[in-house]
Short mmCIF file of all heavy atoms in Angstrom, two decimals:
data_model
loop_
_atom_site.label_atom_id
_atom_site.label_comp_id
_atom_site.label_asym_id
_atom_site.label_seq_id
_atom_site.Cartn_x
_atom_site.Cartn_y
_atom_site.Cartn_z
N LYS A 182 8.75 56.04 -7.27
CA LYS A 182 9.87 56.52 -8.14
C LYS A 182 11.16 56.46 -7.52
O LYS A 182 12.20 56.84 -8.18
CB LYS A 182 9.56 58.01 -8.62
CG LYS A 182 8.40 58.15 -9.58
CD LYS A 182 8.28 59.56 -10.04
CE LYS A 182 7.08 59.57 -11.03
NZ LYS A 182 7.01 61.00 -11.63
N GLU A 183 11.29 55.99 -6.32
CA GLU A 183 12.64 55.87 -5.57
C GLU A 183 13.27 54.61 -6.15
O GLU A 183 12.72 53.64 -6.59
CB GLU A 183 12.38 55.76 -4.13
CG GLU A 183 12.04 57.15 -3.57
CD GLU A 183 11.85 57.05 -2.04
OE1 GLU A 183 11.77 56.05 -1.46
OE2 GLU A 183 11.67 58.18 -1.40
N GLY A 184 14.63 54.52 -5.97
CA GLY A 184 15.49 53.51 -6.50
C GLY A 184 15.02 52.05 -6.40
O GLY A 184 14.86 51.41 -7.44
N PRO A 185 14.84 51.54 -5.19
CA PRO A 185 14.56 50.12 -5.02
C PRO A 185 13.31 49.65 -5.84
O PRO A 185 13.45 48.62 -6.55
CB PRO A 185 14.34 49.94 -3.55
CG PRO A 185 15.02 51.05 -2.92
CD PRO A 185 14.95 52.20 -3.83
N VAL A 186 12.23 50.36 -5.77
CA VAL A 186 11.01 49.91 -6.47
C VAL A 186 11.19 49.96 -7.95
O VAL A 186 10.85 49.05 -8.66
CB VAL A 186 9.81 50.79 -6.06
CG1 VAL A 186 8.53 50.40 -6.83
CG2 VAL A 186 9.55 50.65 -4.58
N VAL A 187 11.87 51.04 -8.47
CA VAL A 187 12.05 51.17 -9.88
C VAL A 187 13.00 50.05 -10.36
O VAL A 187 12.72 49.45 -11.37
CB VAL A 187 12.64 52.56 -10.21
CG1 VAL A 187 13.05 52.64 -11.69
CG2 VAL A 187 11.64 53.69 -9.89
N LYS A 188 14.01 49.83 -9.58
CA LYS A 188 15.05 48.82 -9.98
C LYS A 188 14.47 47.36 -10.00
O LYS A 188 14.69 46.72 -10.97
CB LYS A 188 16.28 48.94 -9.13
CG LYS A 188 17.20 50.09 -9.35
CD LYS A 188 18.37 50.05 -8.45
CE LYS A 188 19.35 51.28 -8.73
NZ LYS A 188 20.46 51.30 -7.89
N ILE A 189 13.68 47.06 -9.07
CA ILE A 189 13.11 45.77 -8.93
C ILE A 189 12.12 45.60 -10.10
O ILE A 189 12.04 44.51 -10.74
CB ILE A 189 12.50 45.39 -7.57
CG1 ILE A 189 13.58 45.29 -6.51
CG2 ILE A 189 11.65 44.21 -7.61
CD1 ILE A 189 13.08 45.16 -5.11
N THR A 190 11.26 46.59 -10.37
CA THR A 190 10.26 46.44 -11.39
C THR A 190 10.97 46.31 -12.71
O THR A 190 10.63 45.53 -13.60
CB THR A 190 9.36 47.78 -11.45
OG1 THR A 190 8.78 47.95 -10.15
CG2 THR A 190 8.29 47.59 -12.43
N ASN A 191 12.02 47.18 -12.96
CA ASN A 191 12.74 47.06 -14.23
C ASN A 191 13.43 45.70 -14.40
O ASN A 191 13.53 45.18 -15.49
CB ASN A 191 13.87 48.18 -14.29
CG ASN A 191 13.30 49.57 -14.47
OD1 ASN A 191 12.05 49.65 -14.71
ND2 ASN A 191 14.08 50.56 -14.42
N LEU A 192 13.97 45.17 -13.27
CA LEU A 192 14.54 43.80 -13.40
C LEU A 192 13.59 42.73 -13.86
O LEU A 192 13.90 41.92 -14.64
CB LEU A 192 15.20 43.45 -12.08
CG LEU A 192 15.92 42.05 -12.01
CD1 LEU A 192 17.06 42.05 -13.00
CD2 LEU A 192 16.30 41.78 -10.57
N ILE A 193 12.40 42.78 -13.21
CA ILE A 193 11.37 41.76 -13.54
C ILE A 193 11.09 41.93 -15.03
O ILE A 193 10.98 40.92 -15.83
CB ILE A 193 10.08 42.01 -12.73
CG1 ILE A 193 10.32 41.63 -11.30
CG2 ILE A 193 8.86 41.14 -13.30
CD1 ILE A 193 9.16 42.06 -10.37
N LEU A 194 10.83 43.07 -15.55
CA LEU A 194 10.46 43.36 -17.02
C LEU A 194 11.68 42.94 -17.93
O LEU A 194 11.43 42.27 -18.97
CB LEU A 194 10.03 44.77 -17.25
CG LEU A 194 8.89 45.38 -16.44
CD1 LEU A 194 8.64 46.77 -16.81
CD2 LEU A 194 7.72 44.46 -16.68
N THR A 195 12.86 43.28 -17.54
CA THR A 195 14.07 42.92 -18.29
C THR A 195 14.18 41.44 -18.43
O THR A 195 14.44 40.87 -19.51
CB THR A 195 15.31 43.61 -17.77
OG1 THR A 195 15.10 44.99 -17.61
CG2 THR A 195 16.53 43.30 -18.62
N LYS A 196 14.11 40.76 -17.28
CA LYS A 196 14.29 39.25 -17.21
C LYS A 196 13.22 38.66 -18.12
O LYS A 196 13.41 37.69 -18.89
CB LYS A 196 14.15 38.72 -15.83
CG LYS A 196 15.43 38.99 -15.00
CD LYS A 196 15.28 38.41 -13.62
CE LYS A 196 15.20 36.88 -13.53
NZ LYS A 196 15.11 36.32 -12.27
N ALA A 197 11.97 39.16 -18.06
CA ALA A 197 10.84 38.58 -18.84
C ALA A 197 11.19 38.67 -20.35
O ALA A 197 10.95 37.70 -21.14
CB ALA A 197 9.61 39.20 -18.56
N VAL A 198 11.71 39.81 -20.76
CA VAL A 198 12.07 40.07 -22.18
C VAL A 198 13.23 39.16 -22.57
O VAL A 198 13.16 38.52 -23.66
CB VAL A 198 12.37 41.56 -22.48
CG1 VAL A 198 12.87 41.69 -23.91
CG2 VAL A 198 11.08 42.35 -22.24
N GLU A 199 14.25 39.06 -21.76
CA GLU A 199 15.40 38.26 -22.07
C GLU A 199 15.06 36.86 -22.14
O GLU A 199 15.70 36.06 -22.97
CB GLU A 199 16.45 38.40 -20.90
CG GLU A 199 17.21 39.79 -21.03
CD GLU A 199 18.11 39.96 -19.80
OE1 GLU A 199 18.10 39.17 -18.80
OE2 GLU A 199 18.87 41.00 -19.77
N GLU A 200 14.07 36.31 -21.35
CA GLU A 200 13.69 34.94 -21.39
C GLU A 200 12.62 34.71 -22.37
O GLU A 200 12.01 33.62 -22.49
CB GLU A 200 13.23 34.45 -20.00
CG GLU A 200 14.31 34.43 -18.96
CD GLU A 200 13.82 33.88 -17.59
OE1 GLU A 200 13.07 32.87 -17.58
OE2 GLU A 200 14.26 34.36 -16.50
N LYS A 201 12.29 35.70 -23.24
CA LYS A 201 11.34 35.58 -24.34
C LYS A 201 9.94 35.14 -23.81
O LYS A 201 9.22 34.36 -24.39
CB LYS A 201 11.75 34.66 -25.38
CG LYS A 201 13.10 35.18 -25.98
CD LYS A 201 13.57 34.17 -27.14
CE LYS A 201 14.98 34.59 -27.71
NZ LYS A 201 15.48 33.73 -28.73
N ALA A 202 9.53 35.75 -22.64
CA ALA A 202 8.22 35.49 -22.11
C ALA A 202 7.18 36.27 -22.85
O ALA A 202 7.42 37.36 -23.45
CB ALA A 202 8.11 35.91 -20.70
N SER A 203 5.92 35.73 -22.96
CA SER A 203 4.90 36.39 -23.71
C SER A 203 4.05 37.15 -22.68
O SER A 203 3.43 38.20 -23.03
CB SER A 203 3.95 35.44 -24.43
OG SER A 203 3.43 34.55 -23.60
N ASP A 204 4.00 36.73 -21.41
CA ASP A 204 3.20 37.34 -20.38
C ASP A 204 3.98 37.40 -19.06
O ASP A 204 4.71 36.46 -18.85
CB ASP A 204 1.88 36.65 -20.18
CG ASP A 204 1.03 36.55 -21.48
OD1 ASP A 204 1.15 35.73 -22.30
OD2 ASP A 204 0.21 37.51 -21.62
N VAL A 205 3.62 38.38 -18.22
CA VAL A 205 4.18 38.44 -16.84
C VAL A 205 2.95 38.52 -15.88
O VAL A 205 2.15 39.40 -16.10
CB VAL A 205 5.10 39.60 -16.66
CG1 VAL A 205 5.53 39.62 -15.27
CG2 VAL A 205 6.31 39.57 -17.61
N LEU A 206 2.88 37.72 -14.91
CA LEU A 206 1.88 37.75 -13.90
C LEU A 206 2.51 38.15 -12.50
O LEU A 206 3.39 37.46 -12.06
CB LEU A 206 1.12 36.47 -13.74
CG LEU A 206 0.40 36.00 -14.99
CD1 LEU A 206 -0.32 34.68 -14.64
CD2 LEU A 206 -0.54 36.99 -15.56
N ILE A 207 1.97 39.21 -11.87
CA ILE A 207 2.46 39.64 -10.54
C ILE A 207 1.22 39.53 -9.61
O ILE A 207 0.29 40.29 -9.79
CB ILE A 207 3.05 41.07 -10.63
CG1 ILE A 207 4.24 41.10 -11.65
CG2 ILE A 207 3.55 41.51 -9.26
CD1 ILE A 207 4.75 42.50 -11.88
#
Side-chain angles (χ1 to χ4, degrees):
K182 287 187 177 182
E183 286 178 352
V186 178
V187 173
K188 286 182 178 180
I189 288 175
T190 306
N191 287 355
L192 179 64
I193 291 171
L194 300 181
T195 305
K196 281 181 69 178
V198 172
E199 286 173 353
E200 294 187 36
K201 299 180 181 177
S203 60
D204 300 86
V205 178
L206 301 181
I207 302 172

